[in-house]
Amino acid sequence: MADQTDWQRFVLLIIDVQRDFWPAATAKAFPEFPSNVERLLAYSRSSGLDIVHVRAEFEPDGADWMSPYRVKGETPCVRGTSGAGVLPCATERTGETVLRKQTFDAFLQPDLLTHLHRARKSFILVAGLETSVCVLLTAASAVQRGFLAAVVEDCCADDPFKHAAAITGYPFVFERTSLDTLETDHGRWMTMLNDLQSSGG
């Protein structure tokens, strides 16, 4: 069925699937997350859906840390530490784009927007860690930059309360989808994209 679905105008952003954002409490609350991410990536690769891996990475000397972390004197995902390491479920394959960021919002990494415009993408699928921070802020930023967006909710994780609040609280910003509904949602999304294009968007 995958080869019948045209994902040419779509891109999947895999956000911050790294050890510092995967504490034991989150792993216990979302035990299916690693296998779901593996399934999402396998589907995306077999369907020709463009994949961009976006990861937090900060210099050890603090030069590129966000201000609150400079004040605290610590930040997650410092380059060269185990916490910056990628979970095995989200390892990139040869040819897949990997971008590093030093912000919550992945679109503040200018290479992301350049890549999406060059590839003529219109719809952003977002998955990863943490739902209420980088996933939410990246999805919201995508919409503010003219894209449509959907969060793959069973391929995201966070504190359970924060996860639920982020997933349910912003229907005016992004679509919700899941592994089991991606293909059925696709048709509706194509209609949205075509309506947007016909209206000059």
Side-chain angles (χ1 to χ4, degrees):
M1 186 174 182
D3 60 353
Q4 299 173 1
T5 307
D6 181 5
W7 292 102
Q8 186 175 353
R9 297 162 72 181
F10 296 74
V11 64
L12 170 64
L13 302 186
I14 297 289
I15 306 288
D16 293 352
V17 186
Q18 295 166 268
R19 298 189 187 281
D20 272 344
F21 301 122
W22 186 239
T26 304
K28 183 177 180 180
F30 294 87
E32 302 300 319
F33 173 79
S35 61
N36 284 351
V37 170
E38 286 183 343
R39 285 176 57 200
L40 178 61
L41 285 172
Y43 173 80
S44 300
R45 288 161 179 156
S46 67
S47 304
L49 174 55
D50 191 19
I51 301 166
V52 176
H53 303 263
V54 185
R55 296 168 188 159
E57 185 178 271
F58 297 90
E59 291 299 322
D61 63 5
D64 57 1
W65 298 10
M66 288 182 283
S67 297
Y69 296 96
R70 293 208 309 270
V71 171
K72 288 182 359 182
E74 60 180 4
T75 196
C77 297
V78 172
R79 182 172 57 82
T81 66
S82 61
V86 178
L87 299 185
C89 64
T91 302
E92 74 277 10
R93 288 191 178 173
T94 301
E96 292 176 356
T97 301
V98 179
L99 299 176
R100 314 290 179 182
K101 66 177 176 63
Q102 293 78 39
T103 55
F104 302 128
D105 171 7
F107 280 89
L108 294 178
Q109 190 341 336
D111 290 343
L112 176 58
L113 197 58
T114 299
H115 173 83
L116 299 179
H117 283 161
R118 184 178 296 134
R120 302 176 67 85
K121 302 302 179 182
S122 305
F123 200 111
I124 313 298
L125 298 171
V126 188
L129 304 172
E130 297 169 329
T131 320
S132 67
V133 188
C134 295
V135 170
L136 171 61
L137 295 178
T138 297
S141 189
V143 171
Q144 293 174 95
R145 284 167 168 77
F147 299 94
L148 294 173
V151 171
V152 189
E153 58 186 88
D154 54 355
C155 295
C156 299
D158 198 341
D159 168 86
F161 177 81
K162 293 178 181 178
H163 172 84
I167 288 295
T168 61
Y170 299 91
F172 55 94
V173 178
F174 57 80
E175 297 269 307
R176 294 171 60 181
T177 190
S178 68
L179 285 168
D180 291 336
T181 62
L182 265 176
E183 289 205 349
T184 54
D185 287 336
H186 175 272
R188 179 166 49 83
W189 295 338
M190 287 298 294
T191 298
M192 293 166 62
L193 285 171
N194 291 335
D195 288 348
L196 191 64
Q197 187 173 26
S198 64
S199 67

